[in-house]
Amino acid sequence: MRILGIETSCDDTAAAVVDDTGLVLSSVISSQDSFHKKYDGIVPEIASRRHMATIIASVDEALLQAGMRIRDVDGIAVTYGPGLIGSLLVGVETAKGLAYASGKPLIPVNHLEGHVMASFLRDTAGEPQPLTGEDFPVLALIVSGGHTELVYTDRWLHYRVLGATRDDAAGETLDKFAKYLGLGYPGGPVIQRIGATGDASYHQFPRVMPGRAGYEFSFSGLKTAGINYAKSLPAGELQKHLADIVASFESAVIGELVEKSLKAARDLAPRTLAVVGGVAANMRLRESFARRASVRVYFPSMKYCTDNAAMIAYAGIRRAMVDIRAGMDLDACSSLGIEESSLGE
Ligand code: KG4
Ligand code: ZN
């Protein structure tokens, strides 16, 4: 089985073809970063207009690179939520049009489920070895620009949310701190680059929700503490210690992610802890998990951590295997939760 995946939930226009072994036959991503950079954040109106301009070419390119025509695929999977509504609609309506014209099944995919499914993808590079059905139960930390949550999945397509952020997502926190410092967008990769040469013990930012039981996250207090600290410093001091301050902030965000995840891993004893989503590309985060975890920790390859359509196509494969289809009335849903796409107990 081979599925065409379409992803337009945020600011990347992506299309990909994946087969039922998880092999990525093509993965095309058209980044909009250059259009949003001057605003230091995503402008939803610009995002949907850019998706409209590039979606057809992205689908054509994905099929071309896979050496296929639309008639050769077994279905069309599309992200229908969560995300920016104007962005999601472009993908959903395009997928509907393609499904209707080609007579192929339309498969609805939850973006968060897609991030989890990135752990099962393999490409011709071969590294890292993907997870398989043998690796369940999986505890997934989904950590991106829009989401931070711990999800337990003991078999394909079954998801239980253990805890999520009460306010900002981890990636959003990095993006906002970078924006305040004038470092540009997206903030996560810039913070990683600048922080790499810094001393992470330079400043101790307050611990987030210390002592709180459970698996909820909170980052808005840390964000405010970071901005207030930067504000309180004389400009020269900030410039002189920029790398140290950035490294300290990055490591405070990471500390929260690692601690809550490892607590959940101790309590639930999953076979695998999968760290997925854009922030999972972070090197300091990877090193911290590797150093501290006693459970096996899996990271998808960098290119499948950030938004892509290969992960959506593979989620589509697993859904198609159990005959999940959508009709032409499929609607985009900006606040869709992963449990709403779970097959239940
Ligand atoms: O998964 P993603 O591409 O989009 C969403 O679904 O949100 O994640 C984007 C987020 C942004 O906040 C970005 O700053 C962050 O992932 N990010 C990183 C790194 N690469 C991307 N954060 C830290 N270190 C990185 N290397
Ligand atoms: Zn995402």
Side-chain angles (χ1 to χ4, degrees), residues 26 28 56-66:
S26 66
V28 172
I56 298 296
S58 302
V59 167
D60 280 348
E61 184 63 24
L63 289 169
L64 187 73
Q65 285 184 17

Side-chain angles (χ1 to χ4, degrees), residues 212-289:
R212 177 175 281 277
Y215 313 111
E216 285 180 335
F217 300 89
S218 169
F219 290 101
S220 76
L222 179 56
K223 174 191 67 187
T224 308
I227 292 174
N228 285 345
Y229 176 69
K231 243 185 218 163
S232 72
L233 294 174
E237 189 73 5
L238 182 61
Q239 278 321 310
K240 187 166 156 222
H241 287 290
L242 186 65
D244 299 331
I245 292 162
V246 162
S248 301
F249 188 80
E250 183 188 25
S251 108
V253 172
I254 288 165
E256 170 73 357
L257 294 170
V258 173
E259 240 151 74
K260 289 274 158 60
S261 305
L262 296 188
K263 175 176 160 37
R266 278 193 303 275
D267 294 350
L268 289 127
R271 186 164 287 173
T272 314
L273 168 60
V275 186
V276 302
V279 181
N282 185 271
M283 287 317 296
R284 200 183 286 274
L285 176 86
R286 290 179 174 226
E287 283 157 15
S288 181
F289 267 115

Side-chain angles (χ1 to χ4, degrees), residues 280-330:
N282 185 271
M283 287 317 296
R284 200 183 286 274
L285 176 86
R286 290 179 174 226
E287 283 157 15
S288 181
F289 267 115
R291 213 171 40 244
R292 298 190 42 199
S294 50
V295 61
R296 174 192 181 200
V297 186
Y298 183 82
F299 295 95
S301 72
M302 302 281 186
K303 63 183 171 212
Y304 302 130
C305 283
T306 44
D307 287 350
N308 64 87
M311 67 187 196
I312 303 304
Y314 191 63
I317 296 254
R318 301 302 323 187
R319 298 202 151 257
M321 282 175 172
V322 292
D323 283 331
I324 295 172
R325 305 267 164 90
M328 284 299 134
D329 57 351
L330 176 66

Side-chain angles (χ1 to χ4, degrees), residues 7 9-10 111-112 115 142 144-147 277-278 305-308 311:
E7 154 64 41
S9 67
C10 193
H111 181 78
L112 299 173
H115 275 302
I142 306 174
S144 70
H147 300 273
C305 283
T306 44
D307 287 350
N308 64 87
M311 67 187 196

Side-chain angles (χ1 to χ4, degrees), residues 109-119 159 304 311-312 315 338:
V109 171
N110 182 310
H111 181 78
L112 299 173
E113 172 177 46
H115 275 302
V116 177
M117 290 292 179
S119 307
Y159 307 100
Y304 302 130
M311 67 187 196
I312 303 304
I338 194 168

